[in-house]
Amino acid sequence: NAGVTQTPKFQVLKTGQSMTLQCAQDMNHEYMSWYRQDPGMGLRLIHYSVGAGITDQGEVPNGYNVSRSTTEDFPLRLLSAAPSQTSVYFCASRQSSNQPQHFGDGTRLSIL
Amino acid sequence: AQSVTQLGSHVSVSEGALVLLRCNYSSSVPPYLFWYVQYPNQGLQLLLKYTSAATLVKGINGFEAEFKKSETSFHLTKPSAHMSDAAEYFCAVGRGGADGLTFGKGTHLIIQP
């Protein structure tokens, strides 16, 4: 059982480039979320989804887009990368709203 | 709105000593509370959760936490620290809504030999 799988694990981008961070879960969870982790800031919610076709903004959504075409996949897109988006990104899923989240291993992203 | 405050960005204890990591929360509705642990270069692993059943919650690796509504606290404890406990610990609160959890800023636990 793979759980939550994130790819790539590491990425370096130049300012202005775009890219997609992939997230897939095999637990048939309806709820999925994207967080970014910065030193001393904890984890902050970027976007979340409660099922295929349904997404909403979290605390820090600017500069990011998401879509949820299937239950399994929840990709995060950076439209035009900025140095302020240098961070570690975590995808998480959970079975229902009051259940704990299962996290992927993260994507470490550097924007030069 | 909900928020989490973890007192102490770094906590240092001797091996074999008591571990106490503090977490206070605010929530407009009865909260769901979680503690997660993060080892270097890894994702977050669930230690334990409180979801309105018993106020004393036992988790993995000998950790436990007590929910105190009057103090709005959910402190994490372990009677005897082990070197392998060195990690970052996060307290998180949820309200049972569709959005994700609100996390504290984390406490880095250092174990002195």
Side-chain angles (χ1 to χ4, degrees):
Chain A
N1 193 345
V4 179
T5 302
Q6 292 184 237
T7 56
K9 294 188 183 302
F10 302 94
Q11 184 70 48
V12 178
L13 292 177
K14 294 181 180 180
T15 297
Q17 287 184 316
S18 62
M19 83 161 291
T20 299
L21 279 63
Q22 301 291 344
C23 175
Q25 53 94 6
D26 60 1
M27 297 172 282
N28 201 33
H29 288 171
E30 292 293 332
Y31 294 77
M32 296 186 75
S33 304
W34 275 103
Y35 294 87
R36 59 177 290 172
Q37 183 180 24
D38 302 292
M41 299 292 290
L43 278 78
R44 292 180 291 170
L45 182 65
I46 304 172
H47 286 284
Y48 63 96
S49 169
V50 299
I54 307 171
T55 64
D56 207 345
Q57 297 181 350
E59 180 185 356
V60 288
N62 293 341
Y64 307 94
N65 276 358
V66 292
S67 60
R68 186 92 181 275
S69 57
T70 66
T71 299
E72 295 77 18
D73 300 300
F74 190 42
L76 178 72
R77 296 183 188 84
L78 280 70
L79 307 175
S80 178
S84 62
Q85 294 177 304
T86 293
S87 188
V88 182
Y89 291 85
F90 287 99
C91 179
S93 73
R94 67 193 197 279
Q95 184 175 33
S96 61
S97 60
N98 63 353
Q99 292 300 311
Q101 297 193 334
H102 298 259
F103 285 84
D105 287 338
T107 294
R108 286 154 183 78
L109 184 62
S110 294
I111 315 295
L112 304 178
Chain B
Q2 54 197 26
S3 65
V4 177
T5 301
Q6 291 185 239
L7 298 177
S9 59
H10 292 77
V11 170
S12 180
V13 302
S14 299
E15 190 174 18
L18 172 71
V19 175
L20 171 61
L21 304 183
R22 300 177 186 275
C23 172
N24 289 87
Y25 70 92
S26 67
S27 177
S28 58
V29 297
Y32 298 95
L33 294 159
F34 306 88
W35 275 99
Y36 284 87
V37 61
Q38 184 181 34
Y39 298 103
N41 299 316
Q42 294 187 24
L44 279 73
Q45 301 175 25
L46 180 69
L47 272 179
L48 49 81
K49 64 178 181 179
Y50 167 77
T51 55
S52 77
T55 57
L56 182 63
V57 181
K58 294 188 182 299
I60 62 172
N61 301 338
F63 285 93
E64 63 182 33
E66 185 173 9
F67 172 69
K68 293 186 176 181
K69 183 178 179 180
S70 61
E71 299 178 6
T72 61
S73 68
F74 191 56
H75 301 331
L76 182 71
T77 61
K78 181 174 181 178
S80 177
H82 191 273
M83 295 300 291
S84 61
D85 295 327
E88 190 87 15
Y89 291 80
F90 292 95
C91 181
V93 61
R95 55 180 180 171
D99 54 355
L101 301 177
T102 298
F103 284 83
K105 294 184 177 182
T107 297
H108 186 63
L109 179 61
I110 301 164
I111 310 297
Q112 304 281 4

